[in-house]
Every structure is written in structure tokens, then in C-alpha cells.
Amino acid sequence: MLQCRSHDSNSPDDDYHSSRNIAISLFRRYRNVIDRGGGDNLKEFISAGVNAYAVGCTEEGLRKELTAIRESGVEIEALQNYGGSTSVKSKILAEEVDECILWLSIIFITILCTPQPTIVRWSSTPPVSDDIRLQWKGFCAVIANAYYMRGMAWLPVKTLQLEQMAVSGCAEEPSVVASRMRLVFSTLEVVSPQWPRV
């Protein structure tokens, strides 16, 4: 069963023709952020995540795709470095799948936290499981509220750690919480820009 509705795409590598292609494309962009840092790389990952949301992908469906690829032992080629012809292939690790899908889930939940549906979804299937939604909705909502109501682009990490404590009884390291916050704010900037570009 296809987890994402396929549609005609003019993307250079037909990223959006199957849930497998979408999963690979997202994973390559995720790895790019990890290897080369955020900024534009993070925006590319978020844009790919927003597209996956729009075409009806689910966090569970994409996790299954990446897990199947990992278990088959297929190596994923890194995104090309412009101008360079070196390509690095490597196997997918289980923890990479978990973290990539968590990032994606946070993007999906952030979209759900926007006041009006900023991204139209082609599927009525919920994008994330109830467990993930319950775990992360408050976190994303606190940030979305700060973004829309107070025009903020940053929150104290302590505030978000308290939110995590309230929901799951433990909080992540400050640096991890800060990177998750950056992911939410960057997603909001992509799907619902509030300020004119300088």
C-alpha cells in the first residue's frame, strides 16, 4: 500500500513519485543537516518535510520505508556537493531512522499548530501517531504561540524542558532542546512567514 499519494512532479530526481523516494530524499536531507550544519540545509529538509505532509505521508509510513531500506542493507548516497564529484554512500543506522522521523514528526505537528491550515494535506489520515502527537504537541504549540502571538523567534530552553518534563517525566539536554526549538521556529518561518525578508 502506498503511504503517500503520488502526483506528477517536475522535481529533478522524481522525489515525490513514491513513499520510498520521499523517505530517501528526506533522509538524505536529514543527513546533510547533520553533516554540514543547519541554515539552508535545515530549510531544505523542512521544505521536503512540508511536501511530504502535503502529499499525505505519515510518520509511520515513512519510518517503515526507511526501516525496510536499512534492513535491506542498501547504502544511501549523500546529496551531491555542488561542483564536487565525490559521492559518499553509507548504510542507514537505526538511531538515524528514529531521529530523522522524529524531526519529520515535529515538522508535521508544527504544521498542525498553525492557526489556519497553511499547508493543504491530500489525505485525511493523521500525519503522526497519537503517541507522538501527545508527546510533542505541547512543545510545538508553546513555540507556535510565541511565534504568532508575540513575534518571538526564540524561547528559554528551560521553558521547553519543563514542557517535556510535564509530558514525559524527563527532559532532553539543553543543546538538543535548542535544536528542536530551532526546527519548530524554522518550520513556522517556512510555512507561515511573519516578517518581511530583509
Side-chain angles (χ1 to χ4, degrees), residues 8 15 54 58 64 69 123 140 160 169 178 190:
D8 293 328
D15 281 351
T58 65
K64 280 181 189 149
I69 294 165
S123 168
C140 296
L160 297 168
V190 168

Side-chain angles (χ1 to χ4, degrees), residues 19-30:
S19 53
R20 182 184 172 93
N21 288 355
I22 292 171
I24 291 170
S25 171
L26 278 161
F27 185 78
R28 289 164 86 187
R29 284 172 171 80
Y30 162 78

Side-chain angles (χ1 to χ4, degrees), residues 105-121:
S105 300
I106 290 172
I107 291 170
F108 287 0
I109 293 167
T110 301
I111 294 168
L112 296 174
C113 288
T114 58
Q116 74 288 359
T118 49
I119 306 297
V120 178
R121 185 165 161 79

Side-chain angles (χ1 to χ4, degrees), residues 37-66:
D40 289 344
N41 295 323
L42 182 61
K43 289 273 196 298
E44 273 188 36
F45 176 81
I46 290 168
S47 294
V50 169
N51 287 336
Y53 175 90
V55 299
C57 292
T58 65
E59 146 256 335
E60 274 173 73
L62 291 169
R63 179 188 302 277
K64 280 181 189 149
E65 291 288 355
L66 284 179

